[in-house]
Amino acid sequence: MTVRKLDADGDIATSGQQFVSNKEEVAQTIKTRLMLFLGEYFRDTSDGTDWFGKILGKGRGLQTAEAAIRRRIAQSPGVLTINQFSADFDLTTRSLSVTCGVVTPYGQTNINIESPS
């Protein structure tokens, strides 16, 4: 499977290398799935990451946020297992950064994700 490459701004690449595959494909798919807000996709409003309800919502603990993110990563196409995971929540900016390593059919890949602002 091959997917369209996204540039640094998250837009579809229209010049140069326009497709990614293998480890890069899995990493991009994970990032895309995590950045999709719950209910945002008009064709399936049950899809998405519940950033406001389960992750950054008031009264949510870090364990709840980590579990929601781990589940979303583990269910991504091409992920065999998560072998490294760390999350850091900044109370001042109310932002979450996640670093994880996943095993894919193509080998190990590492992903860094910042919560949407």
Side-chain angles (χ1 to χ4, degrees), residues 33-82:
R33 285 174 47 84
L34 285 173
M35 293 297 113
L36 178 69
F37 283 78
L38 180 64
E40 182 179 16
Y41 184 45
F42 74 95
R43 293 184 72 193
D44 184 0
T45 56
S46 67
D47 192 13
T49 305
D50 192 3
W51 281 101
F52 297 117
K54 291 190 178 175
I55 299 171
L56 297 177
K58 185 176 179 179
R60 303 290 183 219
L62 189 56
Q63 294 83 6
T64 304
E66 285 182 4
I69 293 169
R70 280 179 178 265
R71 183 172 37 259
R72 189 82 171 143
I73 292 170
Q75 293 173 347
S76 297
V79 174
L80 300 177
T81 186
I82 300 171

Side-chain angles (χ1 to χ4, degrees), residues 2-117:
T2 301
V3 297
R4 297 286 298 208
K5 182 178 181 175
L6 301 180
D7 65 14
D9 296 324
D11 297 324
I12 294 173
T14 57
S15 62
Q17 183 185 2
Q18 296 182 21
F19 296 94
V20 292
S21 57
N22 302 330
K23 292 190 293 190
E24 295 83 17
E25 170 194 354
V26 176
Q28 181 176 298
T29 300
I30 291 169
K31 287 181 182 181
T32 303
R33 285 174 47 84
L34 285 173
M35 293 297 113
L36 178 69
F37 283 78
L38 180 64
E40 182 179 16
Y41 184 45
F42 74 95
R43 293 184 72 193
D44 184 0
T45 56
S46 67
D47 192 13
T49 305
D50 192 3
W51 281 101
F52 297 117
K54 291 190 178 175
I55 299 171
L56 297 177
K58 185 176 179 179
R60 303 290 183 219
L62 189 56
Q63 294 83 6
T64 304
E66 285 182 4
I69 293 169
R70 280 179 178 265
R71 183 172 37 259
R72 189 82 171 143
I73 292 170
Q75 293 173 347
S76 297
V79 174
L80 300 177
T81 186
I82 300 171
N83 63 359
Q84 173 194 355
F85 185 90
S86 68
D88 183 40
F89 183 67
D90 184 348
L91 219 68
T92 307
T93 61
R94 290 187 46 91
S95 63
L96 180 72
S97 61
V98 174
T99 302
C100 71
V102 296
V103 177
T104 73
Y106 315 105
Q108 163 88 20
T109 189
N110 297 315
I111 301 128
N112 297 313
I113 301 126
E114 298 290 326
S115 63
S117 48

